[in-house]
Amino acid sequence: MLASILTAAGLKTAAVGNIGVSLLDAVLGGEEYDVLAVELSSYQLHWAPSLRAHSAAVLNLAPDHLDWHGSMEAYAADKGRVYEGNTVACVYNAADPATEALVREADVVEGCRAVGFTLGTPGPSQFGVVDGILVDRAFVENRQKQAQELAEVSDIGASSSRGAGAGPPAPHNIANALAAAALARAFGVPAAAVRDGLRAFRPDPHRIEYVDDVDGVAYVDDSKATNTHAAEASLAAYEPIVWIAGGLAKGATFDELVGRSAKRLRGAVLMGADRALIAEALARHAPEVPVVGLDRTDTGAMSAAVREAARLARPGDTVLLAPACASMDMFANYNKRGEAFADAVRALAAERA
C-alpha cells in the first residue's frame, strides 16, 4: 500500500525487504530511488541494529516466533528496533498500547513525532476514520482543529477482485491503509496521492483473498495469516465462518483467539502438526462448535479440508482459510498452502456447476 501511494505521488519507489527483493539488493543495485518502502521481519531487525529509517510503523505486537526469540520481551525488543533513529515519524497503533510503548522507549532524532492510527475518530497527531473517510490530523497546519480528508474506505483495494461475496475491506486492511497513509504523509505526499494509491493497490495473493462462491458460500484464502493475531483479524472480517486452521504453532497458544472469535464460528476444520492445540482451545471456549480433525498430511489434505468445510457451511457463510500457524509441516510455504486451497475450491465449484 505504501509503495502504491508513493508511486501515485510521482516518486520512484519499490516495495522491498521481507516481502521479496532484499533491502541490500535494492540499495546496491543499479536503480536509483527517491524512497523505498521497506517491510522487515523481527528476525531481520534482530540482525540489523544499525538500521535508521526516515519513518517507521509497527502495526501490532502480539505473540509470534516465540520459539525463536525465546520470550515475548525479546520479540518486542526486536520489533521496536524499527523505530531507532527515526527522523520524522514513529507510527503506532492506537488500539495496541504496546506499539505506543515501543515508540516511547525508542531513541529517535530530536523532533521526530509519534503519530497514531485508529479505526475510530482520530485525535490530534492521529490518522483515523470519520463517516467512512480516512482523515489525517497529524500532518496539517492546525492539528487541534483541522483534519485533511485522504480517501474513502471504499477506495481501499477498489481495483482488486474482492468479488461479490467478499464484502467491504476487512478492518485490519483499513488499519493497514491508515498506517501506510501516515508513513506517506510523513514523507510529504499530497492527500490526492493517498487516495489514488489506495485505489490502485492490488494485494498480493493469499491475503484475505476472495476465491469463489459455491452454493451460496464464499471461500476466502488468508493463508498469510500465519499467527494468532493475523488469524483473529481475519476472523473479525466475516460472520458466520467455517474456519480452516492448523499447521506449525511456533510456540503460540490459541485460547485468546478462540475465545474472542467463538461467536463467529459455524464450524472448524483442523489440519497440520499442531491441530490438537487449536482443538483443545475450541473444546474449552467453543464446545458447541463442530470440529473436524484431519490427520492426513498428503497433497490431497487441503481438498479434504475444503470438502469438510463445505459440508459444515450454509448459504451466506464464509469458509475461511486463516491457519493461525506456519505452513512448513505440510507445504513449502504459505503461498503453496493458499494455492492448494484455491485449487480445491475451484474443483468443488466445477463439480457443482
Side-chain angles (χ1 to χ4, degrees):
M1 284 183 177
L2 175 58
S4 184
I5 294 170
L6 294 169
T7 298
L11 296 165
K12 182 150 188 194
T13 188
V16 303
N18 192 41
I19 57 174
V21 177
S22 78
L23 175 57
L24 286 178
D25 284 344
V27 170
L28 298 175
E31 294 286 337
E32 293 187 5
Y33 297 97
D34 299 311
V35 56
L36 291 170
V38 186
E39 194 262 343
L40 295 170
S41 73
S42 58
Y43 304 142
Q44 290 171 316
L45 287 165
H46 177 86
W47 295 112
S50 63
L51 180 78
R52 298 293 181 265
H54 173 282
S55 299
V58 175
L59 300 179
N60 55 68
L61 188 60
D64 195 14
H65 306 300
L66 301 189
D67 53 343
W68 191 89
H69 289 278
S71 70
M72 186 64 192
E73 292 73 21
Y75 174 57
D78 282 335
K79 287 192 85 166
R81 280 185 172 182
V82 78
Y83 291 132
E84 293 296 317
N86 280 201
T87 59
V88 175
C90 294
V91 178
Y92 67 92
N93 183 349
D96 188 344
T99 64
E100 185 176 6
L102 293 179
V103 174
R104 294 182 185 281
E105 295 165 6
D107 183 11
V108 300
V109 172
E110 185 71 27
C112 182
R113 292 171 51 194
V115 176
F117 62 90
T118 172
L119 293 178
T121 301
S125 292
Q126 290 188 339
F127 283 63
V129 182
V130 179
D131 296 330
I133 304 294
L134 307 187
V135 299
D136 168 6
R137 287 192 66 187
F139 300 103
V140 291
E141 286 188 12
N142 185 351
R143 57 182 181 267
Q144 295 296 330
K145 297 181 178 180
Q146 293 179 332
Q148 172 67 56
E149 294 187 5
L150 300 174
E152 296 184 8
V153 168
S154 58
D155 289 324
I156 299 170
S159 63
S160 66
S161 55
R162 283 201 298 266
H172 67 283
N173 275 341
I174 301 173
N176 290 342
L178 290 165
L183 290 170
R185 293 281 285 166
F187 198 70
V189 163
V194 175
R195 178 201 62 207
D196 295 344
L198 291 176
R199 286 178 177 175
F201 171 67
R202 290 170 175 78
D204 287 341
H206 317 301
R207 292 163 168 80
I208 208 158
E209 181 181 18
Y210 171 79
V211 178
D212 204 350
D213 264 61
V214 183
D215 296 336
V217 175
Y219 289 77
V220 176
D221 166 16
D222 198 12
S223 184
K224 183 64 170 65
T226 58
N227 59 51
T228 57
H229 189 275
E232 183 177 342
S234 191
L235 288 163
Y238 303 97
E239 186 177 10
I241 298 164
V242 178
W243 181 29
I244 299 178
L248 291 174
K250 300 177 291 180
T253 59
F254 299 90
D255 290 275
E256 288 189 11
L257 167 62
V258 172
R260 291 171 181 166
S261 308
K263 292 181 179 179
R264 296 178 173 272
L265 300 179
R266 172 85 68 198
V269 180
L270 307 178
M271 57 196 301
D274 292 324
R275 64 187 180 279
L277 297 177
I278 305 175
E280 290 163 5
L282 284 162
R284 284 190 290 270
H285 303 286
E288 72 287 353
V289 173
V291 176
V292 176
L294 300 176
D295 60 3
R296 55 190 292 186
T297 59
D298 60 279
T299 54
M302 185 61 79
S303 179
V306 166
R307 291 176 183 278
E308 289 292 348
R311 182 178 61 81
L312 293 172
R314 302 176 189 172
D317 289 358
T318 297
V319 170
L320 175 65
L321 174 67
C325 292
S327 59
M328 287 79 75
D329 56 332
M330 295 177 62
F331 302 92
N333 49 52
Y334 74 82
N335 293 288
K336 293 298 184 183
R337 179 170 61 187
E339 290 167 8
F341 174 79
D343 288 345
V345 171
R346 295 186 185 109
L348 180 68
E351 287 178 14
R352 299 191 179 179

